Amino acid sequence: MAAAVSAAVSLPSSQSTSLPARTSIISPERVNFNKVSLYYRNVSSASSAKVAPIRAQVTTEAPAKKEKISKKQEEGVIVNKYKPKEPYIGKCLLNTKITGDDAPGETWHMVFGTEGEVPYREGQSIGIIPDGLDKNGKPHKLRLYSIASSALGDLGDSKTVSLCVKRLVYTNDQGEIVKGVCSNFLCDLKPGADVKITGPVGKEMLMPKDPNANVIMLATGTGIAPFRSFLWKMFFEKYDDYKFNGLAWLFLGVPTSSSLLYKDEFEKMKNKSPDNFRVDYAVSREQTNAQGEKMYIQTRMAEYAEELWELLKKDNTYVYMCGLKGMEKGIDDIMVSLAARDGIDWVEYKRQLKKGEQWNVEVY
């Protein structure tokens, strides 16, 4: 007589392992700011007397979806702690212009006191709600700004957050001078003034976990903000569980030398860690390449195209891009021909880099 046997099998779900928590800073260097994804099986059993067929039915439950393990420092990251309806009220502690008087536009570095109530990571952003009402008599909407300080802040006590903001002033088609609401609000802040802060937000630009990674940073103007946060952690701060031993290579594009941001800081980093930090500037109105072309960020990168391509073929290279939207096309133009030499389709290759969290873009 046939007997039916049914067995249910549960597959264990995979779990990611968490990394040890980061410790506090020992001491930061101080920097002065200068202008400039039921089956059935039949089993037979034979003996000398008779054959008894047995049908075994095995059902399996679908395994839990495998959790993706990020290559970035995502463990414990907080997002949207403060929302527009209930922002955190911080205090302006410092606000100083960091471009020269003859620069085409003003850029300011500002530090806000948070008493440690706005915890963030390098590469995140915060929202700012400017004071006042819009033309419809409603409160202004928030604007997002990349954070320009490490998680420990410029003062090293995890109680501040810094921004790098360019004052927006332009003439419209009617010949009227228009001032950006939030940028002018921020650039005009005086120490002691209140500021409404939301967030933090974002995971796209978080730093890689690997302390031996090659980190290529491409910035135009105030797009330097998240990279300043990276570089402070890498070179100005000391941790018990993190020491950067890889290569950090920064490309910064600006219109004039008086528009170079945080140059003094980057020079100190280069002098301190010459084997781990490289910086190349592209000053479009003052520099040209050998062909006499203006020196934009992609123009400067083209001078190191072969070296950059070799780095991009490594599993531990991460590219971060922040700034004006047009910069990405110029960089693609460089890489297409280099990839083709190795029989590689750059568009597909870049797609795989993005999927592997090795190509990170935040442009506007």
Side-chain angles (χ1 to χ4, degrees):
M1 153 174 206
V5 181
S6 178
V9 180
S10 238
L11 300 181
S13 62
S14 63
Q15 296 181 345
S16 62
T17 56
S18 58
L19 297 179
R22 184 178 65 186
T23 60
S24 299
I25 188 173
I26 294 176
S27 63
E29 286 195 20
R30 297 299 174 88
V31 175
N32 293 321
F33 296 103
N34 299 313
K35 291 182 178 180
V36 267
S37 174
L38 180 61
Y39 64 88
Y40 294 90
R41 179 174 58 177
N42 292 326
V43 180
S44 293
S45 175
S47 69
S48 58
K50 61 181 178 177
V51 176
I54 300 174
R55 185 183 67 187
Q57 176 181 317
V58 180
T59 62
T60 62
E61 296 178 3
K65 186 176 180 180
K66 185 176 181 180
E67 182 181 349
K68 178 183 177 182
I69 300 176
S70 176
K71 297 177 182 178
K72 299 178 184 176
Q73 297 181 357
E74 286 194 13
E75 293 80 1
V77 169
I78 295 172
V79 296
N80 295 318
K81 181 178 180 181
Y82 293 98
K83 296 179 171 59
K85 291 185 178 180
E86 294 184 11
Y88 177 82
I89 308 301
K91 290 282 184 184
C92 178
L93 302 181
L94 169 73
N95 199 3
T96 184
K97 190 172 71 164
I98 56 174
T99 46
D101 292 335
D102 60 339
E106 301 176 2
T107 299
W108 293 67
H109 179 86
M110 53 205 70
V111 181
F112 305 135
T114 64
E115 294 302 320
E117 294 299 319
V118 187
Y120 61 88
R121 291 284 182 85
E122 296 82 4
Q124 287 193 290
S125 300
I126 55 171
I128 299 294
I129 304 175
D131 290 347
L133 304 175
D134 63 18
K135 61 183 179 181
N136 298 315
K138 296 182 179 180
H140 289 296
K141 294 182 179 180
L142 68 86
R143 273 73 162 179
L144 288 176
Y145 292 91
S146 297
I147 296 171
S149 51
S150 72
L152 297 178
D154 286 2
L155 304 185
D157 58 5
S158 299
K159 294 182 179 180
T160 66
V161 61
S162 302
L163 296 181
C164 175
V165 180
K166 182 176 182 179
R167 186 190 295 275
L168 177 60
V169 180
Y170 66 96
T171 302
N172 64 16
D173 295 339
Q174 289 72 46
E176 304 167 323
I177 295 178
V178 181
K179 294 184 176 182
V181 173
C182 199
S183 70
N184 281 272
F185 164 73
L186 286 171
C187 293
D188 289 336
L189 278 177
K190 304 298 182 185
D194 288 344
V195 58
K196 295 187 280 290
I197 300 172
T198 67
V201 298
K203 293 184 179 182
E204 172 71 14
M205 300 293 282
L206 293 175
M207 291 178 66
K209 293 177 186 176
D210 184 3
N212 301 306
N214 299 307
V215 184
I216 301 172
M217 297 159 284
L218 316 175
T220 57
T222 55
I224 191 63
F227 307 139
R228 180 180 185 265
S229 73
F230 285 16
L231 294 166
W232 267 57
K233 179 172 183 177
M234 290 171 174
F235 301 115
F236 277 173
E237 300 169 352
K238 297 183 184 299
Y239 297 82
D240 291 340
D241 61 351
Y242 178 84
K243 185 181 187 307
F244 184 72
N245 294 306
L247 172 64
W249 193 350
L250 171 66
F251 288 87
L252 173 59
V254 294
T256 67
S257 54
S258 55
S259 304
L260 285 170
L261 307 174
Y262 309 111
K263 184 179 180 181
D264 289 348
E265 294 183 14
F266 301 146
E267 293 304 316
K268 287 184 179 181
M269 294 172 186
K270 189 167 66 172
N271 291 333
K272 182 178 180 181
S273 305
D275 296 332
N276 303 98
F277 181 53
R278 293 173 63 172
V279 56
D280 282 279
Y281 303 114
V283 185
S284 62
R285 298 186 188 177
E286 299 175 11
Q287 300 174 335
T288 58
N289 64 5
Q291 290 73 45
E293 300 168 323
K294 284 189 176 182
M295 189 62 72
Y296 294 109
I297 188 168
Q298 62 266 29
T299 318
R300 181 65 75 193
M301 291 178 65
E303 297 182 342
Y304 303 96
E306 299 283 355
E307 188 174 0
L308 288 168
W309 175 238
E310 289 305 313
L311 284 173
L312 277 175
K313 291 191 288 186
K314 297 180 180 295
D315 291 337
N316 68 333
T317 294
Y318 298 78
V319 175
Y320 292 84
M321 187 184 309
C322 188
L324 298 175
K325 190 174 184 179
M327 66 189 294
E328 190 169 13
K329 181 185 181 304
I331 294 163
D332 282 342
D333 290 343
I334 298 171
M335 296 302 169
V336 167
S337 59
L338 288 167
R341 292 184 200 175
D342 290 345
I344 296 173
D345 180 335
W346 169 246
V347 174
E348 174 60 21
Y349 192 75
K350 188 172 76 167
R351 190 183 72 80
Q352 292 299 326
L353 288 174
K354 286 183 177 180
K355 185 177 180 180
E357 300 182 336
Q358 291 177 251
W359 189 273
N360 310 276
V361 178
E362 195 168 82
V363 293
Y364 40 82

